[in-house]
């Protein structure tokens, strides 16, 4: 690597590694012998995660794109935002992807790259989480937590007194735990 490695991950059988580095615009796929298998290229900073059975890779970039690849480097889908992407998550059934970007939008995509829904927030989304069932998602911005349906409808808006640090669903998806700079932990 040309600079400090900032991320790496194995596939399920531990015979393939993905890695990316500071200032890098690609994710490298390696076999266990250290031979380069693929270079998954973007125009901006990038990180990666494996999808489902470890046959597909999701790369997320500050260039405003999320891409789905196979390990050979074949591009399967290209998802494009209007601004740098902050992060992405795949649902538990590996059928949909949730992405959010610096412009305050959060998008829901099918694996083929088609847009299912777009969610607008007042400012940059700090984070988002899928429910365990994959039927709901939540996002948090400032002191607000938003619960959404997969059809794009807002189900609930929850508020802390100050900025939300993070949120998690409980195991069955019936409750949300959040914590905040207002010195509180709340169960919803």
């Amino acid at each position: 690597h040309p600079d400090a490695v900032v991320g790496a991950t194995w596939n399920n059988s531990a015979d393939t590694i993905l890695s990316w580095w500071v200032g890098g615009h690609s994710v490298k796929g390696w076999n266990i012998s250290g031979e380069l298998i693929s270079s998954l290229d973007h125009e901006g900073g990038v990180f990666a995660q494996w999808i489902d059975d470890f046959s597909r890779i999701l790369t997320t970039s500050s260039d405003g794109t999320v891409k789905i690849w196979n390990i050979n480097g074949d591009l399967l889908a290209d998802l494009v935002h209007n601004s740098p992407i902050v992060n992405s998550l795949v649902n538990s059934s590996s059928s949909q992807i949730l992405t959010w970007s610096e412009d305050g939008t959060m998008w829901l995509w099918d694996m083929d790259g088609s847009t299912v829904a777009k969610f607008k927030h007042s400012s940059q989304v700090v984070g988002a989480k899928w429910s365990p069932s994959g039927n709901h998602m939540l996002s948090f911005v400032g002191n607000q937590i938003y619960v959404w349906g997969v059809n794009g409808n807002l189900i609930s808006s929850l508020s802390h007194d100050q900025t939300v640090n993070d949120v998690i669903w409980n195991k069955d998806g019936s409750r949300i735990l959040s914590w905040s700079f207002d010195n509180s932990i709340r169960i919803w």
Side-chain angles (χ1 to χ4, degrees):
H1 296 91
D3 207 335
V5 175
V6 294
T9 182
W10 294 97
N11 67 347
N12 201 31
S13 58
D15 62 0
T16 307
I17 300 165
L18 301 176
S19 62
W20 52 99
W21 61 94
V22 171
H25 295 171
S26 66
V27 171
K28 301 296 184 186
W30 310 89
N31 68 21
I32 197 70
S33 300
E35 297 168 310
L36 183 65
I37 300 170
S38 58
S39 182
L40 314 176
D41 298 327
H42 282 267
E43 298 296 320
V46 65
F47 63 92
Q49 59 187 297
W50 292 97
I51 300 174
D52 58 29
D53 63 356
F54 296 90
S55 67
R56 296 177 292 170
I57 301 158
L58 184 73
T59 56
T60 304
S61 176
S62 62
D63 68 7
T65 64
V66 171
K67 297 180 181 187
I68 302 170
W69 313 80
N70 66 22
I71 190 57
N72 297 322
D74 299 319
L75 182 62
L76 306 175
D78 192 1
L79 295 60
V80 180
H81 269 259
N82 298 326
S83 82
I85 297 176
V86 176
N87 209 341
S88 61
L89 289 173
V90 178
N91 68 352
S92 59
S93 66
S94 297
S95 61
Q96 294 183 315
I97 302 167
L98 189 61
T99 62
W100 56 100
S101 63
E102 291 180 359
D103 66 1
T105 58
M106 184 172 75
W107 297 38
L108 179 62
W109 312 82
D110 279 334
M111 280 295 173
D112 64 3
S114 59
T115 304
V116 176
K118 185 176 175 181
F119 313 87
K120 183 67 180 150
H121 297 77
S122 59
S123 61
Q124 180 178 320
V125 176
V126 175
K129 304 284 172 86
W130 282 101
S131 67
S133 68
N135 294 327
H136 297 92
M137 62 216 102
L138 56 79
S139 57
F140 52 103
V141 176
N143 70 329
Q144 295 293 122
I145 302 165
Y146 302 99
V147 181
W148 306 91
V150 292
N151 59 0
N153 64 318
L154 179 63
I155 295 170
S156 183
S157 178
L158 313 167
S159 296
H160 271 271
D161 296 330
Q162 292 184 27
T163 302
V164 174
N165 285 328
D166 206 352
V167 295
I168 55 173
W169 295 89
N170 69 342
K171 187 176 180 177
D172 70 5
S174 64
R175 295 180 184 260
I176 298 166
L177 179 66
S178 62
W179 51 99
S180 165
F181 282 106
D182 63 11
N183 302 330
S184 72
I185 296 172
R186 296 187 185 178
I187 300 171
W188 310 89

